[in-house]
Amino acid sequence: MSAETPVAPGQFTLRRQQFRAWRGTRPFWAGLFVLFSGFPIAYFPYAHLQVGHLTLAMATTAGAGSLIIGVLLGVLGVSLWFQKHVRTFAGVAAILLGLVSIPVANLGGFLIGFLFALIGGAMAVSWAPGAPPAPDAPAAGPAAGGAPESAFPQSTTPAGEFAENPYSTGPALTKDPSPARDDDSAGEPNDLSGTSPANGANGRHSAG
């Protein structure tokens, strides 16, 4: 039975996502380039090159200066990771230290450290924090999923009543239309002589 505790399946993915989120909020690659630039600048003046049975010492009188430049570049690289508000100062300082390392530290660590410092400093100066994502505002109009507004205004007149049409040029209908005639009176002529439908006699009295 193994004494090792198995790692959760999603643990690696979670750590990777957390590192990606942390890396995206700071000039990570600029700090990495500046940090790497300090190693060749500080190493080569104290290194010894072995060629067969011959040992070549590349140490110079400026060995202390090379060490100081390499350490400062390493500190600036770490500062870009954890103190991102000093990115402009750290970037400019890395570029200046890279230029100073050319005559002091064996051509800037044989141009390796110089190029890393130059690229990392430029990346630090040009880096800017991204804007936080804005919350999604509800869309207005038909895109929100509601019904489109009508081209004509909605009427507030109750059902069964007529109102004036604002887009009409003719006379408006009256509110109470004239009542229709009864079905039993349909077809009867309109007698203007005074005949009453109740008694069938006209208004004149018979003499006899």
Side-chain angles (χ1 to χ4, degrees), residues 68-177:
I68 293 175
I69 292 175
V71 171
L72 288 177
L73 286 173
V75 172
L76 291 175
V78 175
S79 299
L80 287 173
W81 286 350
F82 299 100
Q83 300 292 332
K84 59 183 179 180
H85 58 276
V86 298
R87 61 185 181 275
T88 303
F89 167 77
V92 173
I95 294 175
L96 293 178
L97 288 175
L99 294 174
V100 172
S101 67
I102 292 180
V104 173
N106 294 341
L107 294 177
F110 297 108
L111 297 180
I112 299 175
F114 165 72
L115 292 177
F116 272 97
L118 206 64
I119 296 174
M123 292 174 64
V125 173
S126 62
W127 184 86
D136 296 335
E149 296 182 358
S150 175
F152 300 99
Q154 298 293 334
S155 175
T156 57
T157 307
E161 297 183 0
F162 295 95
E164 182 180 357
N165 186 1
Y167 300 99
S168 176
T169 57
L173 297 176
T174 58
K175 181 177 179 182
D176 296 327

Side-chain angles (χ1 to χ4, degrees), residues 49-56:
L49 182 61
Q50 190 74 26
V51 180
H53 298 285
L54 182 62
T55 302
L56 299 178

